[in-house]
Amino acid sequence: MTSRLLMPNEAVAVIQRRIEQRWAEAVCAERGIGAHVSFQVQLRPGIYTGKAVEQLGFGRWHEWRTAWRTFDQQIVAGVPGASIIGKPVPVRGLTDEVPATLVAETLGAAVELVSRAEGPTSTVDAVRAHSLSASLHDAGGILTAATLKAACRLGDSDAAALVAAVSWLAGHPDLSGWTARQLPIPGIHSKWLETHSSVLQMVSGRDVRAEVRPRLAVVHLTYVDPEYLATDRRRHDAWTTGDVHALAYTPRIVLIVENRDSRLWFPPVPGTIVVEGNGKAAAGLLSEIPWIRDAEHVVYWGDIDADGYGILDRLRAAMATPTAHGGPAKIVPSILMDITDLQRYAQHGVNYDKSGRSIKPCATKFAHLTRSEASAYDFVATAGAAPFRRIEQEVMSLPEAAARLDDITHNTIAGPANSPRTGR
C-alpha cells in the first residue's frame, strides 16, 4: 500500500464517487433490503507509525492535521451521521488520537457532507430516490438496487406511470382478457407500455407482453393475378389470423410493399398477391403467416431510405428461420432497392419527411443486405452530407416494378447469401 495523506477535498471527492456507485444499495438498505451501506474513506493509508510520519515530514504532518481539525469543526460537526474516527499514532514518544477514517453512516449524510464541503456536483437526487423507492415498495414492486436505478432513470411522469402500473398489476393477476393496447391502467397509454415494458417487468416481476392476449395480425392485400381479375371479383381484401375467410387463390408469389398506393395500383402479375407490410412490424407480423411462408417466392419492395433497408434486413432475418409451426425458411430478394435503382430515381430524392422534418442519418449496421443494397443504404444513411436521404416508393414506376418482379421470380434467385456485405 502506498503511504499518503488525503486532504479534505480529496476525501470528499472519494465519498462522492462512492455515492455514485452505491446510492441505490444504500436506499434499499434503509428500507430493510440488503446490508447497511455506509460511505467511508481512509485518510492516511499506510501511515500507522511514527517512522512513517517521519518519512513524510513533520511539517507536512502538522499541516495535514490542522486541515482535518478545521474540516471537522466547520463541516463534519454540522452533518448528523458524519464523523471522523481517530486511531492512535506514536510520534516522538507521544501517542495521540489522529484522524484515520471519514465516515458518513447514511446516504443522506454523505450527500450533505459533500454539499457542505462544496465538493463535486452530484448526479444523485437522494430525496427523489428515497421517495420513488417508498412508492414502488408500497405498490408491491420488486425493490433492488438494479430496479431502483432503472426506475430513477425515468423522468418524473414516466416514473409516476411506472408506480401506477405496478400497483394496478398487483390487483390484476390475469391479463388474458386484454391486448397490450387495451390494458386499462389509469394514466398510461399503449406507447408507454411499448417503450417501458422492460423496466416494468423488472419492477413488477411480470412480462406483460407475454400475459396479454395476442393482437391478431390483419394484412391488407391486393389480388393482381390477371386470370382472377378477369372474373371481376373483388380486387382488394384483408386477411386476419384465425379468420375462416379464405384467400381468393393461393399465391405463387407474395410481394410485400410498404406504401398503400403501391399495393392498390400494382399491375397484373400471374399468381401474385401484393401485401401491405405494416412498416417496422413487417418482420414479426408477416413472417408468421402460413400462406406467405408457403408461397414459392416472397419478395420485398420498400422506400430507398434507412427505414426501408432496416425493414428488409429484419424481414430477411425472420424469414431465414423456419417457424415453430413448420413454416419453411425463405430467401427474400428485393426489387428497386439496389444502388443502380437509387441512381436511376435520384431526381426524386428528398431530405425531408412528410411533416417537413429533416431526415437524420442512421448508424445502424445491417447484416442481411446485398452489396448493392448496402451501397444504396450507405449513400442515404451516411453521417456525412448526403444529396438526399429518401426516395419514396410511390414515385417509382409500377410497370417497372412488375417487370422486375417477373424477372426475379422466373430466374434463379440469387439472395443475399450469395453476395453478403456484413455490417456497414
Side-chain angles (χ1 to χ4, degrees):
M1 177 186 296
T2 302
S3 299
R4 60 183 301 228
L5 297 173
L6 268 71
M7 298 300 285
N9 65 316
E10 295 177 292
V12 168
V14 173
I15 292 288
Q16 174 58 42
R17 289 197 296 271
R18 290 180 180 167
I19 291 172
E20 301 290 340
Q21 295 165 355
R22 304 198 65 191
W23 65 268
E25 293 175 64
V27 171
C28 290
E30 289 173 25
R31 298 201 62 81
I33 301 167
H36 175 70
V37 175
S38 62
F39 300 84
Q40 305 182 16
V41 56
Q42 298 300 313
L43 306 182
R44 47 181 174 85
I47 302 174
Y48 312 112
T49 66
K51 183 177 180 180
V53 172
E54 186 175 351
Q55 289 174 341
L56 285 170
F58 292 112
R60 185 177 176 192
W61 176 253
H62 178 71
E63 179 186 359
W64 175 82
R65 291 197 63 179
T66 300
W68 276 107
R69 187 179 301 111
T70 302
F71 187 79
D72 189 16
Q73 295 169 350
Q74 296 181 353
I75 304 297
V76 178
V79 179
S83 63
I84 296 175
I85 298 174
K87 288 186 179 181
V89 177
V91 179
R92 291 178 172 176
L94 296 175
T95 300
D96 193 10
E97 287 285 321
V98 181
T101 308
L102 175 62
V103 179
E105 289 294 342
T106 65
L107 175 62
V111 170
E112 185 176 351
L113 180 67
V114 172
S115 176
R116 286 176 62 90
E118 298 182 353
T121 302
S122 176
T123 61
V124 176
D125 186 339
V127 174
R128 182 173 186 262
H130 279 100
S131 176
L132 188 51
S133 71
S135 297
L136 290 172
H137 186 269
D138 293 344
I142 299 170
L143 189 59
T144 66
T147 59
L148 182 58
K149 286 180 179 179
C152 284
R153 281 194 288 267
L154 302 176
D156 288 344
S157 60
D158 286 334
L162 175 65
V163 173
V166 171
S167 179
W168 187 88
L169 287 172
H172 295 82
D174 183 6
L175 306 184
S176 61
W178 295 287
T179 67
R181 286 179 173 267
Q182 291 175 323
L183 287 174
I185 305 175
I188 291 181
H189 53 81
S190 58
K191 292 295 184 183
W192 187 94
L193 285 171
E194 292 175 10
T195 304
H196 302 296
S197 58
S198 59
V199 68
L200 178 58
Q201 183 175 354
M202 287 178 66
V203 178
S204 68
R206 295 172 62 179
D207 185 353
V208 170
R209 291 172 297 184
E211 292 186 38
V212 296
R213 65 184 176 189
R215 196 179 189 193
L216 300 180
V218 179
V219 174
H220 296 278
L221 56 93
T222 296
Y223 300 116
V224 296
D225 178 80
E227 290 187 11
Y228 170 78
L229 295 178
T231 66
D232 289 330
R233 294 168 62 191
R234 65 183 302 163
R235 175 175 171 82
H236 309 293
D237 209 342
W239 180 90
T240 304
T241 303
D243 203 343
V244 296
H245 169 64
L247 298 176
Y249 55 85
T250 300
R252 185 177 71 87
I253 303 165
V254 172
L255 173 65
I256 300 168
V257 301
E258 282 312 308
N259 297 293
R260 183 169 300 175
D261 288 3
S262 300
R263 171 180 66 83
L264 292 174
W265 307 108
F266 202 84
V269 179
T272 299
I273 289 179
V274 182
V275 170
E276 198 170 321
N278 292 290
K280 295 179 181 179
L285 179 70
L286 304 182
S287 63
E288 296 295 322
I289 296 177
W291 57 267
I292 292 181
R293 282 276 183 168
D294 291 339
E296 184 178 342
H297 302 293
V298 179
V299 182
Y300 177 79
W301 175 31
D303 293 340
I304 293 179
D305 67 357
D307 285 343
Y309 290 109
I311 294 167
L312 173 59
D313 184 82
R314 289 187 291 272
L315 181 64
R316 279 182 176 153
M319 296 292 282
T321 303
T323 68
H325 303 292
K330 307 293 292 187
I331 292 174
V332 181
S334 71
I335 59 172
L336 293 175
M337 296 186 74
D338 286 351
I339 189 66
T340 53
D341 301 313
L342 178 149
Q343 294 164 348
R344 177 177 173 81
Y345 286 96
Q347 62 179 319
H348 298 292
V350 295
N351 278 306
Y352 298 91
D353 63 17
K354 294 176 181 179
S355 300
R357 294 185 294 261
S358 176
I359 301 172
K360 304 300 182 183
C362 179
T364 305
K365 296 180 180 180
F366 297 131
H368 302 92
L369 302 181
T370 65
R371 292 183 185 278
S372 186
E373 291 164 350
S375 295
Y377 170 61
D378 286 346
F379 184 96
V380 296
T382 177
F388 56 84
R389 295 195 183 276
R390 173 175 295 161
I391 300 175
E392 295 180 321
Q393 183 182 65
E394 296 99 315
V395 303
M396 300 183 195
S397 164
L398 286 174
E400 182 178 2
R404 293 286 190 90
L405 183 64
D406 187 65
D407 288 343
I408 206 168
T409 56
H410 282 83
N411 294 285
T412 301
I413 296 179
N418 294 332
S419 54
R421 214 298 292 267
T422 57
R424 170 174 167 257

